[in-house]
């Protein structure tokens, strides 16, 4: 059933973009608004919303269903031309927002055949609304991260003499499920030694060695909502001086950034706080990515905690804080938590400790 | 490395659509042309091709690589505006083909900011070329179907008293892998009894019963290429008169269609041949989908064997022939093979028998 509160918030945000009407196509945005997942593959799918009008769902008749969702159903078949179907609903005198993901095979004929006064990317209005989580969403995000904290303890215990990254990673899904999660938020990253200095590393047959860094970047889904956390351990041996130094710089970057997060500051300033810590120690060039990303129903949602993003944080934004230093000949370390922005600070969703831990 | 023969064929087909230049974005189309898989997530990805010009690959610097692929690399970063990057390569005086999947967030600014004289959906030129497989592709498709034939024999033997659809389906991937396939082409469909009358059924906890139809719609990938076959068995008991009748009608529809396939006929006529067999027996309304789909690197590629498709078959097209009758109170039967179109007939890729078989 359409969540009227969320719908109202989207319409207000669309108005700020100068839009009175929009067709939303992203299945997760539709799920977020209606509570129901639709998947139409290569076929057209769209939820039409407009100020003062009943929403309408464009749906291929193949996926017909009985349930009432609070939107008029506009059914069509594989042999129908979709353009007149869209025209039967859209106000042709006004601009129409379309989803940023709407494919060219629909966008181009909509423009050519004058479905609306103008076709505009309207996703910002939806994405900004989704970026501020409501109470129900925050609770599910807390739970997903709580499971992630508990899972991390078990993941750490999977690492023993002779084991490979792939063998460890293969056991993570069952652990998540045993803790009540339904799926991965993304495939688990397990990286030993030099591999931990590649932020895109996928688990392979590398065997853990004494003195290795052991990096876990992992997340699960709980009722559709994602967690995402990174921790680094050391195998069988206290970290070397350099490893310890790098670890502590990254930890400070993570903690300093978390300490300054609050509503109404630029995302730029959060990234800069962490990056300055790393730069001051001479490792700036080894922190090769943005500080964080927004997260919710998707692991990566609209919104970057990045140096070039001058947008302001809003209360109830949820994003990751994940500084890293990647130097294959010394150490690859990333430390990541999720945070919820509050009026005057933030709530850190992960409580798994950040002290140096050696796996015996 | 760019396959020059495939590139030449695409450029010829684009010219038929009035296009001299195109940006291909579909990762599988790029893989088909370059031999290499790129995945850029939400970032821009495109292979620019044009008559008489060196191809150019637009790639986010995050995914940089050293290998030579026969295309100029145009790198950009997350902070770059992509439009001038595209403009640096595209001929602004001519129309530009874009991929049917290119999202609105790129299509709309490309139009507004005049990247080219006109932006057109150019996918037909690429898709038509991909639809005619070359020798190498045909050999991989034959192999994938050979594995599927061997796997079907083993799948059949998984069905025994007390087993559920889900339990059977869960064993199919390992069997494929043991036969040399690398993955599913799609998750295996296993359907018992009335469930076999739902063409979209996903395996559940239904237990097989004496007298049930047992439907397998299954496929694997071999070196990236897909197989796809459906067979129906009967459990513990010879089929009833009605079951046998329905089975034999579907089999005749499948075999009559396969017997008439050749190059240069309408896809419509193939669908009609099968559909007429089923209609003549009064079951027309229970055959609820198109007769077949094209297949290759993807399980469902561009091209329908459907009543409303007046396009002509071409030599080396590969598609499925899969008539069905879905009547929950009587029987759900579908029989599916893949075929390669030849000048004067077709090569059926599946040799698994279609005689009625009872699982004891």
């Amino acid at each position: 059933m359409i969540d009227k509160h969320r719908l109202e918030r989207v319409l207000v945000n669309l108005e700020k973009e100068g839009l009175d009407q929009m067709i939303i196509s992203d299945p997760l945005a539709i799920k977020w608004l209606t509570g129901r997942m639709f998947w139409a593959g290569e076929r057209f799918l769209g939820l039409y919303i407009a100020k003062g009008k009943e929403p309408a769902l464009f749906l291929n008749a193949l996926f017909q269903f009985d349930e009432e969702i609070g939107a008029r159903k506009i059914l069509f078949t594989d042999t129908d031309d979709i353009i007149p179907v869209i025209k039967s609903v859209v106000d042709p005198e006004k601009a129409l927002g379309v989803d940023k993901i709407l494919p060219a095979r629909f966008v181009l004929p909509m423009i050519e055949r004058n479905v609306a006064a103008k076709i505009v990317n309207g996703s910002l209005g939806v994405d900004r609304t989704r970026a501020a989580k409501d109470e129900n969403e925050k609770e599910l995000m807390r739970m997903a991260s709580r499971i992630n904290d508990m899972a991390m303890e078990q993941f750490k215990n999977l690492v023993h003499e002779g084991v490979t990254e792939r063998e460890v990673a293969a056991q993570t899904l069952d652990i998540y499920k045993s803790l009540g999660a339904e799926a991965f938020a993304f495939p688990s990253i397990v990286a030993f030694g030099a591999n931990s200095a590649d932020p895109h590393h996928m688990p392979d047959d590398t065997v853990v060695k004494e003195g290795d860094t052991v990096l876990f970047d992992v997340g699960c889904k709980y009722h559709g909502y994602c967690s995402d956390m990174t921790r680094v351990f050391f195998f069988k041996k206290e970290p070397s001086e350099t490893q310890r130094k790098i670890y502590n710089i990254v930890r400070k970057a993570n903690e300093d950034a978390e300490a300054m997060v609050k509503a109404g500051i630029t995302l730029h300033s959060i990234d800069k706080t962490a990056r300055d810590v790393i730069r001051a120690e001479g490792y700036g060039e080894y922190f090769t990515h943005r500080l964080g990303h927004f997260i919710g129903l998707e692991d990566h949602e609209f919104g970057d905690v990045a140096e070039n993003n001058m947008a302001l944080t809003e209360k109830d934004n949820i994003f990751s804080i994940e500084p890293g230093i990647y130097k294959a000949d010394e150490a690859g370390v990333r430390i990541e938590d999720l945070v919820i922005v509050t009026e005057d600070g933030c709530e850190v969703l992960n409580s798994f400790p950040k002290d140096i831990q050696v796996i015996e």
Side-chain angles (χ1 to χ4, degrees), chain A residues 51-229:
Chain A
K51 241 180 69 175
K53 283 207 217 168
E54 191 192 0
L57 181 72
F58 295 102
L59 189 69
N60 191 296
L62 273 179
F63 306 105
Q64 211 171 333
F65 62 100
D66 289 331
E67 192 185 326
E68 181 54 58
I69 58 155
R72 196 151 59 102
K73 292 172 197 163
I74 313 285
L75 298 176
F76 53 91
T77 68
D78 278 349
T79 53
D80 288 333
D81 177 1
I82 188 72
I83 300 298
V85 178
I86 296 174
K87 281 188 169 178
S88 72
V89 173
V90 168
D91 181 343
E93 306 294 327
K94 291 183 174 169
L96 172 72
V98 295
D99 208 298
K100 61 180 185 280
I101 66 153
L102 189 68
R105 66 176 177 280
F106 300 123
V107 179
L108 292 172
M110 283 168 77
I111 295 173
E112 266 158 41
R113 295 164 67 187
N114 302 308
V115 159
K118 193 173 164 35
I119 303 287
V120 198
N121 179 350
S123 286
L124 208 55
V126 182
D127 291 340
R128 282 213 180 120
T129 317
R130 283 178 62 187
K133 267 62 180 175
D134 60 28
E135 291 309 315
N136 178 37
E137 294 183 289
K138 285 191 284 184
E139 202 41 46
L140 295 173
M141 291 293 291
R142 284 185 191 105
M143 194 59 206
S145 279
R146 216 167 292 148
I147 292 173
N148 215 14
D149 283 341
M150 292 188 285
M152 186 64 84
E153 188 61 36
Q154 297 193 37
F155 295 169
K156 191 185 77 175
N157 293 331
L158 297 173
V159 182
H160 56 76
E161 197 110 36
V163 83
T164 68
E165 293 168 356
R166 215 190 292 269
E167 285 162 359
V168 172
Q171 299 172 72
T172 55
L173 185 58
D174 284 343
I175 290 175
Y176 276 135
K177 289 189 174 170
S178 74
L179 292 168
E182 71 258 19
F184 281 138
F186 54 91
S188 298
I189 298 177
V190 181
F192 299 153
N195 293 343
S196 68
D198 169 10
H200 297 285
H201 181 70
M202 292 312 292
D204 63 21
D205 295 325
T206 302
V207 176
V208 68
K209 300 184 315 293
E210 189 178 300
D212 271 356
T213 45
V214 172
L215 180 148
F216 285 97
D217 184 347
V218 291
C220 62
K221 278 190 186 180
Y222 179 73
H223 289 234
Y225 283 82
C226 296
S227 57
D228 189 354
M229 171 172 56

Side-chain angles (χ1 to χ4, degrees), chain A residues 124 127-128 131 260 264-273 275 289-294 301-314 317-320:
Chain A
L124 208 55
D127 291 340
R128 282 213 180 120
M260 59 91 66
I265 63 174
T266 60
L267 290 159
H268 154 86
S269 67
I270 307 172
D271 182 287
K272 187 169 185 306
T273 297
R275 205 168 296 274
H289 55 71
R290 60 186 172 183
L291 180 64
H293 55 85
F294 282 53
E301 292 194 344
F302 173 81
D304 284 321
V305 188
E307 234 181 339
N308 65 341
N309 192 351
M310 301 309 291
L312 301 181
T313 55
E314 274 184 71
N317 284 166
I318 303 187
F319 47 75
S320 66

